[in-house]
Structure formats: structure tokens, C-alpha cells
Amino acid sequence: MSDSTLHIGTLASNNVNNIVNDTSKYDEYKEKVKELEKELQTRKDTFEKMTEPLVYVCDCYQKFNVVTGMPKSTFGDSFGYAMQKEISDYMQDFYAGKVSREDLDSYFEKCCTSMRTYRTGQHQTSGTNEADNTQIVSEMYEVFAKENARAAGQANYQEGKAWNEKYYSDGHSDWTYYNSDYYYQCNDTNAALRESVRKMTEKWELDGIDCDEIEANSSLTLDGGFDFNSIWNSDFRNQVGRSSLAKESTIPPENFKMFFKEQVTSFTEDNKFNGNLKITIGKNNYDLNVPFQTLRTGSEGEIRNVWDLMEDYYSDTKDNSKVKNFLRNMSVFTRWYSYETGINDRFGDYLR
């Protein structure tokens, strides 16, 4: 009898006497169970209230303190959702310059500790299990690294939006923008997060965690991967449908900015019109027309390679090889081209 457990909600009334022989005390026991049930549920979130059974030791009516096991994902319930939203906001503040690199490192540790404390309180881990702690740190890195890339892409998008409003004073979405500063900041921050992981593994005495493997096997890839270029392609190839980076591993030149506007002139009688391309490389600025022609019989007049547009203005020397290589992988095109060819449905590297 002392080792029996009572599962609330599953005990049939005809089995009461098998659990409590003294019927005169049944009402007293029932009230104690209700009190314990209420106490436990107030510490659980809505998701867990719906799905988890309550376990008690019958002879003393205390919560049976067993470890039920870690969830498949520590970010799969309401606590995890709320933490990921908070991490997303924090990373956007980081790219806005409101958070320092040191603050980010401390925040990563704080989130790991909070997640372990919560999972321990839910009796999903003892708090000292190496595999469970490894899962916490690994999934924390996955979320932080993803939100890092998203925040870099969002900062780039907002800056491009400001350029569009500055030069064209419209709210149209027929533009794309690339600032290599965010590429390098995204890479540097990813490296800093990996260092935060290393510190946590040392503090919690865990084996090493392979961050490359985490990224390679992640399911958080619908909007690109964990790098700036794939997020950029998701924004401007897959959603806006007006620019594409053929190889996402291509390294941009430093101090590089590119703004593209699809149409800045009216159609001529033969369906020709110009887009606009503004490029900054270091201290040099270039403002180029982008000739398009809509024939509706083919797509050859609807796409332009950026290096082909730039090569007459920018010397092709060994020192400029990085610029040339990057711009050769960059193309700009019309929305009609995107619709006709389906390039906006292509993900990852795509060589047309």
C-alpha cells in the first residue's frame, strides 16, 4: 500500500476501496488530493495542464518526485515559445546597438540556466544529467544562432527600406538591398555564440558540442540557414522576387552596399524601361541604369548580372577579385522574370 500511486483523473470510483480501506477517511484524503492537485497545477503552464498526469504517493499524499524525461524539444511548449520570442527581441536589440557582446554572452548563460531550472521544476530532468544538460545547451545554441541570422537580415531589410523611402519616397516593395556589414557582423556573432557554448560546456562539465552538426541537422531552415546570405536570399529571391545570390557561400567585399529598384522610368513603346542600381564599394559610389525589356515571349530581357553592369565602371584587377567574384554571383531581375521562371521557388545555391 505504501508504494501505490494514484493517477488523478484515471481512478474509477469502483476501485476506491482498493486504495483506501478506511472509508471514513475517504473524504479527508480526497480533499488533500484536491489541494495537492491545485498546488501542482498552479506551477504548470497551460500546455502541461492539458497533457501531463499528476502523480502522488497515496500514503502520505505528497507529489511523487520522479523524473519523467526531457521533451523532444525544450522550445516546444509555452515556456520555450516565450523564451525564443525573448531571444529574438534581444538579438534585434543587439543589432540595433543596444546590447554589447559581453551582455550577449551573459544572456546566453542566463537562458541556459533558466531552461535547466524550469525543466528541473517540471521533473523532466534532475538538473545534473549530462545528456539533458547537453540537450539544453545544444538547443539554446540552435535558437540563438538562428535568431542571430534573422536579426541580421531584419536589420539589413529595415536599412534598405529607409533607402527606398529616401530616394523614391514610396512604400513599394520593388527593391532589394545588401549591406556586407551585416554579413560580417552575423559571422562574428555566430563565432561569439560558439564561444558561449564552449564556456557553458566547461561550467557544466559537458563533452564538447558540435555547432556545425547542430546547424546541418536543424529544422529551422524554412527562411534560410544560419548565415546572412541564405537569409538574404530568402528575403529578396524567395519573397520579394527581384534579386538572387547564386552561391550563398560567396564572400562579399567589405564596406559594400547595393540598392536595386526595379522600375524608375515609364515603359517605352517597345516595352523597355530602366531600373536603378546604387552601389557603394569603400568610398566609391556608383549609380547605374538597369535596362529591362518586357517581351512576354521570353525572359532574356528581364534579368541582369550585376558584374556585367559594373565592369565598365570598375577596373578588373587582382586586387578587385573579391568584388568581381561576388558581383558575378549577384543578379537583379523583374518580378515578371521571377514569376515566369519560378526562381523565387528555388532555395539555396541556384545557378540559372
Side-chain angles (χ1 to χ4, degrees):
M1 176 62 188
S2 61
D3 293 329
S4 299
T5 57
L6 172 61
H7 297 266
I8 303 302
T10 62
L11 180 63
S13 60
N14 60 354
N15 288 330
V16 169
N17 289 330
N18 294 330
I19 304 300
V20 182
N21 292 322
D22 188 350
T23 56
S24 65
K25 294 184 178 180
Y26 175 68
D27 289 340
E28 178 184 349
Y29 292 156
K30 185 170 65 173
E31 289 304 315
K32 288 182 178 180
V33 169
K34 285 182 178 180
E35 290 176 5
L36 288 168
E37 178 183 7
K38 182 178 180 181
E39 176 189 348
L40 182 60
Q41 285 187 330
T42 57
R43 295 200 298 268
K44 289 179 173 286
D45 61 31
T46 303
F47 177 81
E48 290 164 326
K49 286 178 184 177
M50 293 188 297
T51 60
E52 293 183 1
L54 305 178
V55 185
Y56 299 91
V57 177
C58 290
D59 59 345
C60 61
Y61 293 92
Q62 294 180 354
K63 188 169 56 177
F64 189 33
N65 193 18
V66 297
V67 174
T68 60
M70 289 284 281
K72 183 177 180 180
S73 170
T74 55
F75 287 89
D77 58 12
S78 58
F79 181 85
Y81 296 151
M83 178 175 280
Q84 183 165 359
K85 176 61 169 61
E86 185 179 287
I87 292 170
S88 175
D89 293 342
Y90 198 89
M91 293 309 303
Q92 291 186 41
D93 285 345
F94 176 76
Y95 277 86
K98 300 176 182 178
V99 175
S100 69
R101 184 69 60 81
E102 292 74 20
D103 291 336
L104 180 60
D105 182 56
S106 298
Y107 183 62
F108 183 89
E109 179 179 344
K110 175 185 174 182
C111 287
C112 289
T113 303
S114 295
M115 182 64 78
R116 182 169 70 169
T117 300
Y118 178 77
R119 297 301 163 193
T120 302
Q122 300 306 303
H123 305 285
Q124 296 169 341
T125 180
S126 65
T128 58
N129 182 279
E130 183 175 351
D132 295 345
N133 287 339
T134 297
Q135 179 184 351
I136 289 171
V137 178
S138 297
E139 293 181 359
M140 196 63 66
Y141 168 77
E142 181 181 19
V143 168
F144 264 86
K146 184 62 186 186
E147 295 303 337
N148 168 51
R150 285 172 173 163
Q154 179 66 11
N156 178 81
Y157 184 88
Q158 291 300 325
E159 191 170 293
K161 183 179 179 181
W163 275 48
N164 184 61
E165 293 172 351
K166 174 182 178 180
Y167 290 108
Y168 296 103
S169 302
D170 64 43
H172 299 164
S173 60
D174 59 340
W175 56 268
T176 65
Y177 180 75
Y178 190 106
N179 184 343
S180 66
D181 289 350
Y182 295 117
Y183 170 91
Y184 289 103
Q185 186 177 5
C186 182
N187 281 3
D188 291 345
T189 305
N190 183 280
L193 290 172
R194 291 174 180 233
E195 177 62 16
S196 296
V197 169
R198 187 193 64 78
K199 290 179 180 178
M200 286 306 303
T201 58
E202 284 189 356
K203 184 171 184 177
W204 286 1
E205 298 181 347
L206 308 175
D207 290 337
I209 291 175
D210 190 336
C211 295
D212 288 333
E213 183 178 2
I214 292 172
E215 293 183 9
N217 295 314
S218 176
S219 62
L220 305 178
T221 55
L222 289 178
D223 58 344
F226 293 79
D227 61 290
F228 177 76
N229 282 348
S230 64
I231 293 289
W232 188 89
N233 260 344
S234 175
D235 287 342
F236 294 112
R237 181 206 289 170
N238 302 125
Q239 297 183 56
V240 175
R242 287 180 173 87
S243 287
S244 176
L245 192 58
K247 291 184 178 180
E248 293 179 346
S249 60
T250 303
I251 301 173
E254 295 180 2
N255 302 313
F256 170 85
K257 296 178 182 178
M258 185 195 81
F259 177 85
F260 165 67
K261 183 80 168 177
E262 178 185 353
Q263 184 173 358
V264 297
T265 63
S266 301
F267 281 94
T268 63
E269 291 183 359
D270 52 356
N271 290 324
K272 293 181 179 180
F273 63 94
N274 285 336
N276 178 246
L277 191 64
K278 299 181 188 299
I279 291 180
T280 297
I281 305 175
K283 297 180 180 180
N284 299 315
N285 299 312
Y286 306 88
D287 198 320
L288 311 175
N289 288 327
V290 184
F292 290 122
Q293 184 173 21
T294 301
L295 299 175
R296 298 295 192 268
T297 58
S299 59
E300 64 277 2
E302 305 275 353
I303 183 170
R304 293 286 180 263
N305 179 268
V306 176
W307 176 250
D308 290 344
L309 296 168
M310 275 288 293
E311 62 179 339
D312 291 338
Y313 301 89
Y314 200 76
S315 60
D316 183 11
T317 66
K318 184 177 181 180
D319 292 339
N320 296 330
S321 59
K322 181 179 286 189
V323 173
K324 181 178 180 179
N325 183 58
F326 183 75
L327 296 185
R328 272 183 168 175
N329 279 281
M330 181 72 76
S331 58
V332 294
F333 41 84
T334 65
R335 184 63 178 173
W336 176 258
Y337 176 87
S338 178
Y339 172 78
E340 280 291 291
T341 63
I343 191 174
N344 58 320
D345 293 325
R346 305 285 184 170
F347 299 90
D349 290 351
Y350 178 64
L351 305 177
R352 64 179 183 87

